[in-house]
Amino acid sequence: MPKVVFHHHGDTSTVVEADAGSNVMRAAVQNGVAGIVGECGGQAMCATCHVYVRESHLGALPPISEDEEEMLDCTAAPRDDRRSRLGCQLTLGEGLEEVEVDVPGAQL
Amino acid sequence: MCPAPSSDGHARAGHIGARVVVVGAGHAGVQVADALRTHGHRGCLTIVGDEPVLPYQRPPLSKEHLAPAEGVAALPLRAERHFAEHRITLLTGVTVTALDRRARTVALSDGGDVPYDALVLATGAVNRALTVPGADLTGIHALRTLSDADTLRTALLEAGSVLVVGAGFIGLEFAAAARRHAARVTVLEAAERPLARAVSAETASYLADAHRDAGTDLRCGEAVARFVGDNGRVRGAIGTTGAEYEADLVLVGIGVEPRVELALRAGLDVADGIVVDEHLRTADPAIYAVGDCANHPNSHAGARLRLESVQNASGQARHVASVILGARREYAELPWFWSHQGELRLQIAGVRLPGDDSVVLGDPATGRFSVCCLRGGRLVAVESVNRPADHMAARRLLAAGPVPAPENPHDPAFSLKRFAQELVPAP
């Protein structure tokens, strides 16, 4: 089963398993992971599922769509040019069996 | 039980110990409770939801939830344990049957009474019913709840011909989803164009063409006169023009009515929704209304509005929580909206009103363009089709205050993003 590790400010983390085909935002919301909102339901419309992907997983990520690119300019916490992604656009499963992300300090 | 937090039995709004009851467990209701807790509210907090399930996200229901691939589970608004962790009493499958403003209590369908110091009505809306002969035949559906969406997805797997009544957002999103099931799809719209009240003529015309190009038989100026069926099951419809349509599945999407019964019976003002002021408060200082059911003075439109959107539900919910905790600001969030119809991504920032002028940015023939809506020398709204950069620029611009109409929007080099950057430099 695909796995997501959410690292929170201050050295705590949450490990969540998810179905293949799910995504980082859904995995967080379904499991009540603090700091991920997902207000638009995964439509790349609200930028409230912003995560910083850890370096070692960057190579496995799907490319950034134009919608995601624009939304990433509007995140509540500062954008990191390399690591910022929207969790709803990170589909789990094939190619992305495991991913570790840092949860930003703010989403709204 | 919830003890009264102050000696006179009623905590004042503005008290972090106030007892708050939220009627409705949609986006608005759940967000009210969340925002209260986030900002330090410690009093009893009850959400009463009439659906028998954990609160869930509605936007996907008319989109990917209907996809032919093995059904995706509904996305909850919050995980179940979130409510307990934040000491939010979530009642599901329970309705509020009466509201006693003098005693400040609500009566529940399960027999209980819950006292409140602040009551938030987040009752949402119900689908408008089509009252023509045959409307009660099996196979005629509406789409609002998760249960509706599950039923429709199953029905789509078998459907050969689908008839959609109403070319609003729900009707067009459903038509796009139905096409993915390889069904023949016909959409009937009583007005002369789709989304007549919601978008500019330019955007409406593009959307109509795009749906037709994708294979939908979209007919404007046509409504259903009656449905016809066999053995209680729908077989088709006769239009008001006399034309006949075959259908083994019908979706009626002709708009909604705000749920105002509770407010009406309690003697609160109702006029296309529950009437609230700029603080989202009704004439009763202990009662508020937010989301689809709330008719509020909207500073961006310069008019009273009732908006049906996630942004409006969430924004008003956060605002009302701050008011309950003592804030005095007026609600002023910029309305924005989106609709995904197959490959089409429509995004709207601001409020367009009938009579606004339009300027098209880009060439609709490329499938990517925006429409600037202008009123009295100001830019008031932007509709974007597959141009997310324009949408985000418009949201930033319009949220910052009145925006003068751009001087040279017809110049092919004009960029809304640059225009926004000049007027409202990014932080």
Side-chain angles (χ1 to χ4, degrees):
Chain A
M1 242 181 163
K3 190 171 92 174
V4 188
V5 184
F6 295 92
H7 294 281
H8 302 284
H9 186 67
D11 271 355
T12 61
S13 61
T14 317
V15 183
V16 163
E17 287 196 331
D19 294 329
S22 183
N23 59 55
V24 170
M25 180 277 294
R26 287 186 78 95
V29 171
Q30 279 168 330
N31 290 284
V33 174
I36 305 285
V37 179
E39 189 160 276
C40 73
Q43 319 262 318
M45 281 294 127
C46 66
T48 62
C49 61
H50 178 206
V51 293
Y52 302 113
V53 179
R54 292 226 161 159
E55 293 284 347
S56 56
H57 300 275
L58 291 177
L61 303 182
I64 299 182
S65 70
E66 193 189 350
D67 282 15
E68 185 181 355
E69 175 63 37
E70 295 303 327
M71 290 312 306
L72 284 171
D73 278 341
C74 308
T75 50
R79 176 175 184 172
D80 178 314
D81 281 340
R82 287 170 49 72
R83 299 173 57 222
S84 281
R85 293 297 301 259
L86 296 184
C88 68
Q89 303 299 300
L90 303 180
T91 304
L92 298 165
E94 235 170 296
L96 197 61
E97 282 295 327
E98 185 179 338
V99 62
E100 282 186 66
V101 304
D102 291 294
V103 178
Q107 295 285 5
L108 290 168
Chain B
M1 269 310 288
C2 207
S6 63
S7 54
D8 66 359
H10 295 315
R12 290 182 5 260
H15 192 297
I16 58 166
R19 296 164 299 181
V20 180
V21 173
V22 182
V23 187
H27 275 82
V30 169
Q31 186 61 58
V32 170
D34 249 33
L36 280 168
R37 286 299 191 235
T38 303
H39 293 101
H41 177 254
R42 296 206 298 262
C44 277
L45 183 44
T46 307
I47 303 176
V48 188
D50 58 0
E51 290 182 58
V53 294
L54 196 64
Y56 55 86
Q57 293 267 6
R58 267 183 226 284
L61 299 185
S62 52
K63 308 177 186 80
E64 61 267 28
H65 197 83
L66 300 170
E70 195 44 53
V72 186
L75 183 64
L77 278 168
R78 302 290 184 275
E80 189 160 13
R81 61 187 176 79
H82 167 91
F83 297 97
E85 280 174 5
H86 292 85
R87 293 183 303 104
I88 297 166
T89 304
L90 172 67
L91 305 176
T92 54
V94 175
T95 53
V96 171
T97 54
L99 160 53
D100 184 338
R101 288 169 52 192
R102 186 181 288 265
R104 291 195 179 172
T105 58
V106 293
L108 304 180
S109 57
D110 66 5
D113 280 314
V114 185
Y116 65 84
D117 301 303
L119 176 70
V120 182
L121 301 173
T123 47
V126 289
N127 292 326
R128 192 171 289 147
L130 185 58
T131 52
V132 299
D136 55 352
L137 288 164
T138 303
I140 301 176
H141 302 265
L143 174 51
R144 181 148 199 94
T145 64
L146 176 57
S147 157
D148 293 337
D150 285 339
T151 304
L152 277 163
R153 184 185 165 275
T154 307
L156 277 171
L157 294 172
E158 308 272 308
S161 49
V162 171
L163 181 66
V164 178
V165 184
F169 289 115
I170 291 293
L172 293 178
E173 288 178 3
F174 183 82
R179 280 196 306 265
R180 295 185 58 194
H181 287 261
R184 276 175 291 120
V185 182
T186 305
V187 180
L188 306 184
E189 169 54 52
E192 289 309 313
R193 60 182 173 94
L195 298 167
R197 287 170 306 120
V199 302
S200 65
E202 290 81 357
T203 298
S205 148
Y206 175 84
L207 292 175
D209 289 347
H211 278 273
R212 287 181 180 126
D213 290 347
T216 294
D217 183 2
L218 169 62
R219 304 196 179 200
C220 295
E222 174 76 301
V224 171
R226 64 191 170 90
F227 291 105
V228 290
D230 283 329
N231 300 320
R233 242 208 104 69
V234 72
R235 191 164 42 78
I238 312 292
T240 46
T241 63
E244 293 180 31
Y245 302 94
E246 192 187 324
D248 40 33
L249 191 169
V250 175
L251 177 84
V252 177
I254 53 170
V256 302
E257 307 277 0
R259 289 177 72 179
V260 298
E261 306 81 358
L262 201 58
L264 262 183
R265 280 191 277 123
L268 296 167
D269 285 348
V270 167
D272 183 32
I274 302 165
V275 174
V276 294
D277 65 14
E278 61 277 17
H279 302 289
L280 309 176
R281 194 184 268 129
T282 67
D284 181 330
I287 304 180
Y288 306 81
V290 294
D292 287 18
C293 70
N295 186 297
H296 66 281
N298 189 288
S299 56
H300 294 276
R304 282 197 155 270
L305 284 185
R306 196 176 60 72
L307 293 171
E308 298 152 18
S309 72
V310 168
Q311 173 280 321
N312 182 63
S314 302
Q316 292 195 337
R318 283 190 282 269
H319 191 82
V320 91
S322 75
V323 172
I324 289 170
L325 293 172
R328 290 283 170 269
R329 288 176 303 119
E330 297 180 2
Y331 177 69
E333 243 191 53
L334 178 76
W336 57 267
F337 183 84
W338 81 90
S339 172
H340 293 173
Q341 302 165 23
E343 297 304 306
L344 285 172
R345 297 166 76 77
L346 169 67
Q347 297 166 291
I348 304 173
V351 181
R352 179 195 151 274
L353 296 177
D356 288 351
D357 292 327
S358 300
V359 176
V360 178
L361 307 180
D363 180 1
T366 63
R368 299 160 50 82
F369 66 98
S370 291
V371 176
C372 291
C373 303
L374 310 171
R375 190 187 316 145
R378 284 185 179 166
L379 177 68
V380 292
V382 177
E383 302 163 352
S384 302
V385 173
N386 297 331
R387 291 241 289 205
D390 283 359
H391 174 67
M392 293 314 300
R395 263 161 70 173
R396 213 152 58 77
L397 256 179
L398 296 168
V403 181
E407 282 169 16
N408 52 351
H410 295 287
D411 183 341
F414 176 79
S415 149
L416 203 55
K417 198 169 177 174
R418 215 159 39 237
F419 182 62
Q421 190 59 38
E422 284 160 13
L423 285 179
V424 189

